[in-house]
Amino acid sequence: DSAIIYSNDFEGDVSDWIHYPVSGSTDLWGVSSSRSSCGSNSWNAAQHAGAGSNALESPVINLVGLDSAVLFFRHWYNFDDCQNDSFIPDGGIVEVSDDDGVSWTKISPVDFYPYILQDICSNTLANTAAYAKDGGIGAEFIPALFDLTPFTGELIKVRFQAGWDCGNCGSNEGWFIDDFAIYSSQILSWLSLDVEEGIVLPSECVVINSNLEATE
């Protein structure tokens, strides 16, 4: 019983998404066809050879007039840990800006981040709760859910920031993001969908057409 406020499965135009280094000079975010949750493409932050962090940033998303909102996406990740259970040098976080990217607030998933990144060799996200090590069930992407209610009534951007230490013990695939969507439980009178309920099996895709009433 939720309305889709914004969604992108990254199968088409992604020109309104931007990516850049946050710390250091390396930016390895790009659209990848090597892994995806649904369809052929996802965004991937490839493993860095040196210390730094880089970000993937969404376009502006309008939460004005809403009193509830959630962020949903699917992801798969393989961050470097030197195959050591106690070593957690690299990882990723999710952030929100309500001032057009001037400042960013880290947000946490409803089930919390699984690790705390260690202060290893200049990782810029050191001592931060983050996604790290491995996430996924085989090749299957896993869901993530964040409460955006503190940002309702605002124009926001979402970004994914991945942080890396100064070296690697092997080749790791990094972080893959797919099926990005923001929902609201507040049903919008100007928005309707041609399919309002159903079941989508893992790794399958369903196209749902939306209808917008611009006179309201």
Side-chain angles (χ1 to χ4, degrees):
D1 296 330
S2 296
I4 300 173
I5 306 304
Y6 173 89
S7 67
N8 197 324
D9 61 5
F10 310 127
E11 297 300 311
D13 183 16
V14 295
S15 61
D16 53 354
W17 286 70
I18 61 173
H19 47 96
Y20 48 86
V22 177
S23 174
S25 59
T26 303
D27 169 29
L28 296 179
W29 279 102
V31 175
S32 171
S33 59
S34 62
R35 289 187 181 275
S36 65
S37 170
C38 177
S40 301
N41 298 328
S42 64
W43 279 102
N44 171 232
Q47 176 176 280
H48 283 217
S53 66
N54 55 336
L56 171 67
E57 182 180 311
S58 79
V60 173
I61 299 167
N62 189 352
L63 302 186
V64 174
L66 301 177
D67 55 21
S68 69
V70 295
L71 164 64
F72 172 87
F73 59 88
R74 296 185 187 276
H75 60 159
W76 189 101
Y77 50 92
N78 171 221
F79 287 106
D80 185 32
D81 62 3
C82 292
Q83 299 182 341
N84 182 335
D85 288 343
S86 62
F87 188 58
I88 315 169
D90 301 341
I93 62 173
V94 182
E95 301 169 295
V96 171
S97 174
D98 59 5
D99 56 11
D100 199 30
V102 175
S103 61
W104 294 89
T105 300
K106 178 188 170 187
I107 59 174
S108 297
V110 295
D111 54 355
F112 305 105
Y113 289 107
Y115 296 99
I116 303 291
L117 299 186
Q118 297 167 341
D119 190 357
I120 305 292
C121 190
S122 303
N123 180 355
T124 56
L125 296 183
N127 305 311
T128 299
Y131 294 115
K133 293 183 175 287
D134 298 301
I137 304 172
E140 183 179 339
F141 283 44
I142 56 176
L145 190 67
F146 294 73
D147 182 13
L148 294 180
T149 300
F151 301 95
T152 53
E154 305 289 343
L155 300 175
I156 69 164
K157 292 182 176 181
V158 176
R159 80 175 183 182
F160 300 89
Q161 184 180 175
W164 318 84
D165 74 342
C166 64
N168 301 296
C169 295
S171 177
N172 296 275
E173 294 185 61
W175 196 10
F176 294 83
I177 308 294
D178 204 357
D179 297 337
F180 179 100
I182 292 179
Y183 298 87
S184 176
S185 60
Q186 182 177 343
I187 304 302
L188 304 177
S189 61
W190 49 264
L191 174 66
S192 62
L193 306 176
D194 63 354
V195 177
E196 295 187 355
E197 62 181 42
I199 296 173
V200 182
L201 298 177
S203 301
E204 291 189 347
C205 303
V206 172
V207 175
I208 300 176
N209 295 316
S210 61
N211 302 295
L212 305 178
E213 176 54 65
T215 60
E216 295 193 18

